[in-house]
């Protein structure tokens, strides 16, 4: 585990209704020994507060932002517009085609301001944590080793027998 108690990843979501999925990001980061902070800050309802949070987070050492949102899911793109640190977008599942609206809103960022988009829902929330740890691991060997150990444990836990 890192000795640093300052968050290295900020997990932002547009609504409390996103938390059941987004808490998996926080849990996976914790499993990988990465300190995170989680906030509900809507891009369209609290735009000013979002900017303030991103500025404060950067000043306090956050290196990667994870943003989960659903529907017209502009939050990850707005976060990306406010920082040059990597932004991972998690499309929430919705009643419209299982979250295809969220997925396209997040993945189809116009040229120049990227958002690294993962799968919809819980799988994406977990992968957002792993991807964030991999990004941090480029400059932090301890995190890189924990990601590698997680990958190895995952492979070893998979049964090869079909029944
Ligand atoms: C987005 O709209 C949120 O990210 C959430 O996924 C979706 C629904 O929001 P609520 O109606 O639950 O506030 O802003």
């Amino acid at each position: 585990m890192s000795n640093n108690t300052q968050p290295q990843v900020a997990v932002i979501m547009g609504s409390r209704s996103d938390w059941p999925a987004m808490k998996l990001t926080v849990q996976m980061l914790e499993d990988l020994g990465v300190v995170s902070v989680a906030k509900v800050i809507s891009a369209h309802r609290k735009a000013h507060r979002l900017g303030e949070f991103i500025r404060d987070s950067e000043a306090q050492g956050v290196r990667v932002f994870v943003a989960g949102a659903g529907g017209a899911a502009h939050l990850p793109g707005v976060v990306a517009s406010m920082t040059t640190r990597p932004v991972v977008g998690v499309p929430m599942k919705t009643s419209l085609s299982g979250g295809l609206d969220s997925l396209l809103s997040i993945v189809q960022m116009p040229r120049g301001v990227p958002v690294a988009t993962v799968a919809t829902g819980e799988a994406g929330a977990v992968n957002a944590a792993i991807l964030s740890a991999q990004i941090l691991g480029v400059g932090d060997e301890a995190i890189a080793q924990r990601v590698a150990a997680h990958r190895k444990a995952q492979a070893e836990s998979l049964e090869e027998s079909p029944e």
Side-chain angles (χ1 to χ4, degrees), residues 4-11 19 22-23 25-30 33-39 53 62 64 66:
N4 192 353
T5 53
Q6 288 295 110
Q8 290 183 283
V9 176
V11 180
W19 179 239
M22 295 310 295
K23 72 180 175 193
T25 303
V26 173
Q27 285 166 1
M28 189 73 236
L29 286 168
E30 199 177 321
V34 175
V35 179
S36 68
V37 57
K39 293 280 180 200
F53 176 73
V62 164
V64 180
V66 175

Side-chain angles (χ1 to χ4, degrees), residues 93-160:
K93 288 197 172 172
T94 65
S95 55
L96 188 66
S97 305
L100 188 59
D101 46 353
S102 318
L103 173 65
L104 294 178
S105 295
I106 297 174
V107 80
Q108 286 289 60
M109 279 298 287
R111 185 185 304 202
V113 183
V115 170
T117 308
V118 292
T120 56
E122 295 187 353
V126 170
N127 279 351
I130 298 170
L131 180 57
S132 299
Q134 288 178 264
I135 292 167
L136 294 170
V138 171
D140 185 324
E141 188 52 31
I143 293 177
Q145 283 180 13
R146 289 196 291 272
V147 171
H150 173 264
R151 189 76 67 90
K152 185 165 178 273
Q154 180 175 253
E156 286 170 359
S157 74
L158 293 175
E159 292 283 348
E160 294 191 355

